[in-house]
């Protein structure tokens, strides 16, 4: 931290005397991964943390800054950190997903993550990217605009980070390991959390989160969904919010009384303290419009106006029903890129690679499992098998036998994806990537299926932002649906929900060489194999190839 303070002081002094001074700086952080006892729901258990904090520390940066984070592992588990949404231009070695871009950091070892925040401003998150560690290993990334560059909306008077999560009374690794052993779905969490706190719960008057406000002031809420397995609604009694940015991309401002936010997504929204002095409930509840189980315990907090008596009653609100699909559609359909002269929406208009990827559940034989079978997940009927050597290393050093570059760009056997499921629910296993040329344009239609149960899939692409050009229910129609695509101001994101029994179409330019993970951000589905990789080949120019690996890259 001292080095960070010195860097800031040096930059401040330099800019005072030299207006032409380059203002991007190097910011140094140290993340020490340790176990610490934490008490929630009136029970205590050890959890994995960064610097002893849950949620973890916030990275404060500016656009174009270089960030160096030394991660030191002092726990018995292997560790990695993913900087979710950071473009990682040519720096795939710092992306973080275990066995995709790096081997994990082993006990007693450390690794220096090194990346530059190019062309991004807003809110992102960081989290562990191995097993289920991100249940407690997560935190915020705040990317301020360059100095003297204003927000494209009235500057709020204060800012507040709000991280939504889940809490298990049991050890999360034991939860998923037991489920995998039996071949069934894992237990849901015990409670949702706001900045690590659930609020009052049955049989436990748990501490809740409080946002202190002053009448008439505006607050930029940097809302992050760090939950493992649940898409969430966020609502404040008696107040509307003005949404101004998602996933570190500005949007055309719009008002909403309910925020819909999936795991891995971030939303910046302005709260105006324009109500009578008092206390107002903050509510966080799950969304699930199918038969899949969720944690139905609402997390609560309070907006507390200055001068309000602590014993004053709290104004309540009605939370959306668990299956409130219309609420999610209203929110998602309101999102539009700013698409201004300063912040254009550079949507690819011609496409080099057009993919249709089905996303869903399958069932494979398992002689040791409870019913002789195991629930799995797959993309285009391929259940991803994690390698024991990182794919990016295998690609860079041309190591054979780690992966194959034959991931199918379309289903091998088309079927009625959202209709009656096929009789054969078995999937293929494989460690496969889809190869694209540098700077080629890619359209991916993510198609949900109804196998076992149709379900929403919040899908994250590493290494890129993408434009969400279309979505719909039922099966994607390649003839009629593209005619309705928004190619003018579609929202730009890094994580987007594929609607239950529906589809979402995204486009991006493959201008970042390396190996980039695409996966459902519901951790249970990632564990089951709902993931694949894009291998973007090097270009021909000097700045079109992945940088060499750092000397301290962890070994498997």
């Amino acid at each position: 931290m001292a080095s960070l303070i010195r860097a800031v002081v040096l930059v401040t002094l330099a800019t005072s005397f030299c207006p032409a001074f380059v203002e991007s700086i190097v910011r140094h952080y140290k993340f020490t991964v340790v176990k610490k006892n934490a008490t929630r729901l009136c029970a205590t258990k050890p959890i994995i943390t960064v610097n002893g904090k849950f949620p973890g520390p916030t990275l404060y940066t500016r656009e174009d800054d270089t960030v160096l984070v030394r991660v030191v592992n002092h726990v018995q588990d292997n560790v990695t950190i993913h900087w979710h949404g950071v473009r990682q231009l040519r720096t795939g070695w710092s992306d973080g997903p275990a066995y995709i871009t790096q081997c994990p950091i082993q006990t007693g070892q450390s690794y220096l993550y090194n990346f530059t925040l190019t062309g991004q401003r807003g809110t992102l998150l960081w989290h562990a990217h191995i097993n289920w560690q991100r249940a407690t290993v997560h935190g915020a990334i705040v990317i301020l605009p360059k100095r003297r560059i204003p927000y494209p909306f009235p500057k709020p008077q204060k800012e507040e980070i709000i991280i939504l999560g889940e809490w298990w009374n049991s050890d999360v690794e034991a939860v998923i390991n037991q489920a995998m052993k039996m071949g069934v779905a894992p237990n849901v969490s015990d409670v949702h959390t706001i900045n690590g706190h659930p609020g009052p719960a049955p049989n436990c008057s748990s501490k809740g989160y409080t946002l202190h406000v002053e009448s008439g002031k505006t607050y930029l809420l940097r809302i992050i969904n760090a939950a493992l397995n649940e898409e969430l609604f966020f609502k404040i009694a008696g107040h509307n919010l003005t949404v101004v940015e998602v996933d570190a991309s500005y949007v055309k401002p719009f008002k909403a009384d309910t925020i819909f936010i999936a795991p891995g997504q971030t939303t910046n929204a302005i709260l105006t303290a324009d109500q009578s002095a008092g206390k107002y409930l903050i509510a966080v509840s799950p969304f699930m419009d199918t038969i899949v189980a969720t944690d139905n315990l609402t997390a609560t907090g309070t907006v507390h106006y200055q001068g309000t008596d602590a014993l004053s009653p709290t104004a309540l609100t009605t939370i959306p029903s668990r299956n409130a699909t219309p609420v999610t559609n209203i929110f998602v359909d309101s999102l539009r890129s700013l698409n201004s002269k300063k912040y254009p929406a550079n949507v690819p208009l011609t496409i080099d690679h057009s993919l249709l990827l089905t996303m869903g559940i399958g069932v494979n034989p398992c002689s040791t499992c409870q019913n002789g079978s195991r629930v799995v997940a797959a993309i285009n009927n391929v259940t991803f098998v994690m390698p024991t050597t990182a794919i990016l290393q295998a690609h860079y050093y041309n190591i054979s036998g780690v992966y194959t570059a034959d991931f199918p760009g379309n289903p091998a056997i088309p079927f009625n994806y959202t209709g009656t499921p096929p009789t054969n629910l078995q999937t293929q296993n494989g460690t496969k990537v889809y190869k694209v040329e540098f700077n080629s344009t890619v359209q991916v239609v993510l198609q949900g299926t109804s196998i076992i149960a149709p379900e929403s899939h919040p899908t994250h692409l590493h290494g890129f932002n993408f434009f969400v050009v279309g979505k719909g229910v039922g099966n994607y129609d390649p003839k009629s649906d593209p005619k309705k695509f928004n190619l003018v101001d579609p929202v730009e994101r890094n994580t987007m929900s594929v609607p239950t029994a529906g589809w979402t179409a995204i486009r991006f330019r493959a201008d970042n060489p390396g190996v980039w993970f695409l996966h459902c951000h519901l951790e249970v589905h990632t564990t089951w194999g709902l993931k694949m990789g894009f291998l973007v080949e090097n270009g021909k120019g000097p700045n079109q190839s992945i940088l060499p690996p750092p000397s301290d890259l962890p070994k498997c």
Side-chain angles (χ1 to χ4, degrees):
M1 199 66 188
S3 58
L4 171 61
I5 294 170
R6 284 197 297 273
V8 172
V9 170
L10 287 172
V11 169
T12 303
L13 290 172
T15 52
S16 300
F17 298 103
C18 180
F21 185 83
V22 177
E23 293 188 353
S24 58
I25 66 171
V26 178
R27 298 185 184 265
H28 296 260
Y29 288 89
K30 184 176 181 180
F31 278 18
T32 304
V33 182
V34 293
K35 277 205 170 180
K36 184 179 180 181
N37 282 339
T39 301
R40 300 292 186 276
L41 300 181
C42 297
T44 301
K45 71 169 186 176
I47 62 171
I48 299 177
T49 70
V50 168
N51 298 351
K53 297 181 178 180
F54 168 63
T58 299
L59 295 187
Y60 284 98
T61 64
R62 285 192 185 274
E63 181 184 352
D64 286 347
D65 283 352
T66 295
V67 180
L68 302 177
V69 187
R70 170 72 64 186
V71 176
V72 185
N73 183 8
H74 286 312
V75 299
Q76 293 303 307
D77 307 69
N78 287 342
V79 167
T80 70
I81 301 291
H82 169 52
W83 317 95
H84 184 114
V86 172
R87 285 292 317 274
Q88 297 290 0
L89 291 167
R90 303 174 64 215
T91 56
W93 308 108
S94 288
D95 191 42
Y99 303 106
I100 305 300
T101 59
Q102 68 165 97
C103 299
I105 307 166
Q106 297 179 32
T107 304
Q109 301 296 308
S110 71
Y111 180 45
L112 183 67
Y113 290 91
N114 182 347
F115 52 89
T116 300
L117 296 160
T118 304
Q120 294 181 285
R121 74 294 298 172
T123 304
L124 296 172
L125 70 152
W126 60 264
H127 60 77
H129 213 302
I130 185 169
N131 302 327
W132 278 30
Q133 274 181 24
R134 75 175 167 94
T136 56
V137 181
H138 58 250
I141 304 174
V142 172
I143 311 171
L144 299 172
K146 298 177 188 177
R147 293 187 185 277
R148 294 183 292 278
I149 300 295
Y151 292 128
F153 46 83
K155 184 180 179 180
Q157 288 152 304
K158 290 188 176 181
E159 300 189 4
E160 186 81 7
I161 294 167
I162 297 178
I163 300 178
L164 313 180
E166 290 176 279
W167 176 266
W168 277 260
N169 283 331
S170 303
D171 176 79
V172 289
E173 302 299 349
V175 169
I176 184 58
N177 289 342
Q178 176 69 9
M180 292 297 287
K181 182 179 178 181
M182 298 180 68
V184 297
N187 291 338
V188 298
S189 56
D190 292 288
V191 71
H192 298 102
T193 57
I194 305 173
N195 284 353
H197 297 287
N203 304 317
C204 181
S205 56
S206 301
K207 177 185 174 184
Y209 163 74
T210 301
L211 172 60
H212 295 277
V213 301
E214 296 179 43
S215 293
K217 288 195 172 182
T218 54
Y219 298 80
L220 183 68
L221 307 184
R222 297 179 178 272
I223 307 166
I224 296 168
N225 186 347
L228 282 189
N229 289 320
E230 299 201 347
E231 297 175 298
L232 297 169
F233 293 118
F234 175 89
K235 194 170 183 181
I236 300 177
H239 293 75
N240 281 325
L241 298 167
T242 301
V243 178
V244 294
E245 176 256 308
V246 295
D247 293 3
S249 295
Y250 293 132
V251 297
K252 292 182 173 70
F254 68 94
K255 289 190 180 297
D257 69 349
T258 304
I259 302 290
F260 170 60
I261 186 166
Q265 290 184 335
T266 63
T267 299
N268 279 8
I270 296 172
L271 167 69
T272 301
D274 56 2
Q275 299 300 303
S276 302
K279 295 192 297 183
Y280 297 83
L281 190 75
I282 304 172
V284 173
S285 60
F287 165 70
M288 178 62 72
D289 57 354
T290 186
I291 60 174
V292 176
T294 57
D295 171 357
N296 292 323
L297 199 57
T298 299
T300 58
T302 308
V303 170
H304 190 126
Y305 277 72
Q306 188 179 56
T308 301
D309 187 278
L311 298 178
S312 296
T314 301
L316 304 180
T317 186
T318 303
I319 62 171
S321 63
R322 195 183 80 121
N323 62 349
T325 308
V327 177
T328 70
N329 286 331
I330 289 170
F331 185 84
V332 171
D333 293 345
S334 298
L335 293 168
R336 293 282 186 273
S337 286
L338 202 55
N339 194 25
S340 64
K341 185 176 180 180
K342 188 172 181 59
Y343 304 105
N346 296 315
V347 188
L349 300 180
T350 59
I351 297 299
D352 300 314
H353 295 268
S354 183
L355 285 69
L356 176 67
L357 304 183
T358 59
M359 308 179 74
I361 308 301
V363 179
N364 284 348
C366 173
S367 59
T368 60
C369 293
Q370 181 174 281
N371 300 314
S373 61
R374 166 180 284 136
V375 179
V376 296
I379 301 179
N380 278 357
N381 209 47
V382 177
T383 295
F384 190 90
V385 177
M386 293 293 274
T388 54
T389 298
I391 295 176
L392 183 58
Q393 287 174 274
H395 166 58
Y396 188 86
Y397 291 111
N398 201 25
I399 302 170
S400 61
V402 175
Y403 69 91
T404 57
D406 58 347
F407 189 89
N410 288 276
I413 303 174
F415 62 98
N416 182 2
Y417 308 118
T418 56
T420 303
T423 53
N424 183 6
L425 303 183
Q426 194 167 333
T427 69
Q428 299 176 356
N429 294 324
T431 308
K432 300 174 182 286
V433 300
Y434 186 91
K435 187 182 292 187
V436 297
E437 309 79 24
F438 179 83
N439 214 37
S440 59
T441 54
V442 184
Q443 175 177 291
V444 182
V445 176
L446 302 163
Q447 172 70 63
T449 73
S450 60
I451 296 174
I452 299 183
E455 189 174 346
S456 176
H457 296 287
T459 304
H460 174 46
L461 175 61
H462 291 227
F464 298 94
N465 281 359
F466 51 73
F467 292 97
V468 184
V469 296
K471 73 180 184 74
V473 294
N475 298 336
Y476 171 72
D477 187 324
K479 292 184 178 179
S480 62
D481 285 327
K483 296 174 183 177
K484 297 175 281 188
F485 281 0
N486 176 8
L487 302 179
V488 177
D489 62 351
V491 68
E492 186 176 357
R493 304 208 72 148
N494 62 63
T495 306
M496 188 62 196
S497 289
V498 178
T500 299
W503 57 270
T504 295
I506 65 173
R507 290 185 177 188
F508 65 96
R509 181 175 294 277
D511 57 358
N512 194 7
V515 175
W516 305 108
F517 213 17
L518 175 85
H519 62 96
C520 179
H521 219 265
L522 302 179
E523 202 63 43
V524 59
H525 288 172
T526 302
T527 302
W528 285 348
L530 211 163
K531 47 197 174 185
M532 55 84 69
F534 282 99
L535 194 161
V536 180
E537 298 179 298
N538 287 334
K540 296 179 180 178
N543 296 319
Q544 297 179 355
S545 297
I546 187 168
L547 294 169
S551 59
D552 65 338
L553 187 70
K555 294 178 172 57
C556 288

